[in-house]
Amino acid sequence: MRDLGVFHGLGDLWVMVLEELEANGTAAVYTDNAGEEANVKELFNLTAEIQGAVLPDAIIEKHRVPSEYDWMVRNFTVRGEVPELHHENSYASRLYSYMGKKDQIEWLINRLNGNPHARSATITTFEPLTDEGYIPCVSLLDFQESGGKLDMTAYCRALDFGCKAYINLVMLHQIQKEISEKVGMEQGNMILIVKSAHFYMRDEPKVMKILKSERTQAE
């Protein structure tokens, strides 16, 4: 387990993971979902904690790619199939209409309103009966009251930090904010657990451009 520590901005965490991947990532052939293979740099079992993050995040706003950003936001906000993900269900469908039957976000809010100290305020994005071409990267969200605030632990089986992970962080922050407001608690910390953190080698020029910019900014 590689614990990256505590961060106070989503962009700060994103850049640190890119630094770790560039410096210490292992070259691998990454096989995912429907059998696609591509060269990556990868690290296993990263953890980090984000405290007091706010949006918009200056680093993310500076480096975000509109085409990447827009489709991932739609993935979290529009119910239906996602063409880019082998026409599997969007995160919005999985969270707000699980298997076409259950609004997990509403269920979670009701559970926490009924018992703010619940140890089982947990939801998943996996739909095992139908998932074939795409297995969701953001896998499980668990909420826990701590000191009067609502913390969220996000377990992710894999995150692509060269392309989409920074948007995942933004949307997870928004989900935590929504649930915190609806259960009447202050938004707490986000604890991130990532089994496979990676970037594809095709994105390495973009990664190096981001790192060069942020290193220069820090000087």
Side-chain angles (χ1 to χ4, degrees), residues 11 14 55-66 69 166 170:
W14 176 35
L55 294 175
D57 181 279
I59 292 174
I60 289 175
E61 290 301 305
K62 178 166 59 171
H63 298 296
R64 75 177 191 168
V65 178
Y69 200 90
Y166 70 99
V170 169

Side-chain angles (χ1 to χ4, degrees), residues 5-128:
V6 176
F7 298 82
H8 299 285
L10 302 178
D12 291 330
L13 171 58
W14 176 35
V15 170
M16 177 56 74
V17 175
L18 293 180
E19 290 277 16
E20 285 286 315
L21 286 168
E22 181 58 29
N24 302 308
T26 299
V29 177
Y30 193 86
T31 303
D32 202 1
N33 293 315
E36 308 98 324
E37 292 187 348
N39 293 322
V40 299
K41 278 193 172 180
E42 181 178 41
L43 287 169
F44 287 121
N45 300 319
L46 294 188
T47 63
E49 184 169 335
I50 304 106
Q51 299 178 354
V54 296
L55 294 175
D57 181 279
I59 292 174
I60 289 175
E61 290 301 305
K62 178 166 59 171
H63 298 296
R64 75 177 191 168
V65 178
S67 56
E68 293 174 356
Y69 200 90
D70 292 346
W71 90 258
M72 183 56 73
V73 169
R74 290 196 302 273
N75 188 16
F76 274 92
T77 57
V78 179
R79 302 181 197 185
E81 296 180 354
V82 182
E84 295 92 339
L85 300 176
H86 303 281
H87 295 277
E88 299 284 6
N89 287 335
S90 67
Y91 281 125
S93 293
R94 295 165 188 271
L95 294 172
Y96 295 94
S97 183
Y98 183 82
M99 300 294 292
K101 296 180 180 180
K102 181 175 183 178
D103 185 332
Q104 294 198 88
I105 298 297
E106 181 181 32
W107 174 87
L108 187 66
I109 291 165
N110 290 338
R111 193 171 193 83
L112 287 167
N113 278 329
N115 178 9
H117 309 291
R119 299 294 192 272
S120 55
T122 310
I123 57 178
T124 184
T125 61
F126 290 151
E127 294 183 339

Side-chain angles (χ1 to χ4, degrees), residues 109 113 148-150 178-187:
I109 291 165
N113 278 329
K149 298 181 180 181
L150 188 64
E178 174 191 358
I179 293 170
S180 297
E181 289 174 348
K182 290 183 177 178
V183 299
M185 278 190 251
E186 185 178 343
Q187 185 172 352

